[in-house]
Amino acid sequence: MKLRTYFWVWVGVVLVLTYEWLMLNGPQPEEGLLGLLRQLWPAARSWNLSPEAGYPISLVLGWLGIGFMLVTNFYVVRKRLGWFKYWGRIAGWMDFHILCGLLGPTFIVFHTNFKVRG
C-alpha cells in the first residue's frame, strides 16, 4: 500500500476512536458502536464500557498501542538483517513503519483517556 492509503487508514481509526470516546463519555454510552455491539451480541451485555483506567476498553487500547509501537521495529530488523532482504520492498516497509508509528501513540492517548501529563 502507499503512504497516502495508510494515512487515510489512520484518519479513519482516529475518527472511529474519537466517535466512540465521545459516545462513551456522553450521557448515554449505549449510543456508540460498542453500545450497538452490546445490543446485538448477548455475550457483550456484561461488558463494562467505561473508558476509565483499568477497565477492559482502556486495557485493550493500551495493548494495541504498545503492539503497534513494537511492530514499528520490524522495519529496522528488515533493513539491518540480510536474512530478510527478499521480504518486500524497503519503501513499503517504511510506509508500514510510519503507519504503526502513528497508530501506536494514537491508541496510547485514547488508552490514557487524554490524561497525558508528561
Side-chain angles (χ1 to χ4, degrees):
M1 276 199 231
K2 297 281 186 186
L3 186 57
R4 181 177 300 153
T5 305
Y6 283 142
F7 170 76
W8 288 112
V9 167
W10 175 70
V11 167
V13 168
V14 169
L15 289 174
V16 168
L17 286 174
T18 302
Y19 174 76
E20 282 302 306
W21 186 81
L22 290 171
M23 290 296 114
L24 290 175
N25 287 312
Q28 295 179 339
E30 296 295 323
E31 293 180 1
L33 298 174
L34 288 173
L36 179 64
L37 176 68
R38 200 172 178 186
Q39 291 173 0
L40 296 176
W41 190 30
R45 289 189 182 131
S46 64
W47 293 353
N48 187 339
L49 294 180
S50 174
E52 294 297 318
Y55 288 101
I57 293 172
S58 176
L59 294 174
V60 167
L61 290 173
W63 281 110
L64 283 171
I66 193 69
F68 278 115
M69 290 167 76
L70 290 173
V71 168
T72 60
N73 294 315
F74 289 166
Y75 167 73
V76 175
V77 171
R78 160 60 177 89
K79 189 174 177 184
R80 302 280 181 207
L81 296 180
W83 303 331
F84 304 111
K85 65 181 175 182
Y86 299 110
W87 288 24
R89 294 181 17 248
I90 196 73
W93 280 85
M94 180 64 177
D95 293 346
F96 185 69
H97 171 80
I98 292 171
L99 172 69
C100 291
L102 289 170
L103 286 176
T106 301
F107 280 114
I108 294 295
V109 167
F110 279 94
H111 156 76
T112 62
N113 208 11
F114 291 93
K115 293 179 179 134
V116 182
R117 298 181 206 114

